[in-house]
Amino acid sequence: MPGRIETLLGPQAYLRYCRCGPADIAEAVEEARNRDRIRLDTPSYLDILVPVDDEGEPSGDWVAFVRSRRRICYSPGSYGPAARRRAPHGRGAEAKGEL
């Protein structure tokens, strides 16, 4: 899934993947409606919100995206403070990982 999302959003998007319950995703999208539009022709930091079931496994065939905020997120293939220092805004190897 990350490869398809990167292709859709383009090279200017710095992505983090966040596992969220569907209700949390709805709340994040509602909050985002009151912010500036996300421009994909300039560098943008985005959280990809992946719906998960009660066991934390991805559910459904959709995701939502919003401008990055402080959330508990993971970057596939990179974890912890050392990984966050390798790239801007806590981004490590998320583009190369899998969900």
Side-chain angles (χ1 to χ4, degrees), residues 1 8 11 15-16 19 22 38 45 47 58 63 70 73-74 80 95:
M1 185 182 319
L8 175 68
L15 307 176
R16 292 191 310 177
R19 292 177 180 235
I38 297 171
Y45 295 97
D47 287 344
V63 298
R70 290 190 167 257
C73 300
Y74 73 97

Side-chain angles (χ1 to χ4, degrees), residues 62-98:
W62 60 275
V63 298
F65 66 94
V66 296
R67 190 177 311 277
S68 287
R69 293 187 58 195
R70 290 190 167 257
R71 290 189 175 83
I72 298 172
C73 300
Y74 73 97
S75 297
S78 62
Y79 297 87
R84 288 188 201 103
R85 286 193 294 270
R86 287 196 294 256
H89 198 62
R91 279 148 183 80
E94 63 268 32
K96 297 176 180 77
E98 294 184 21

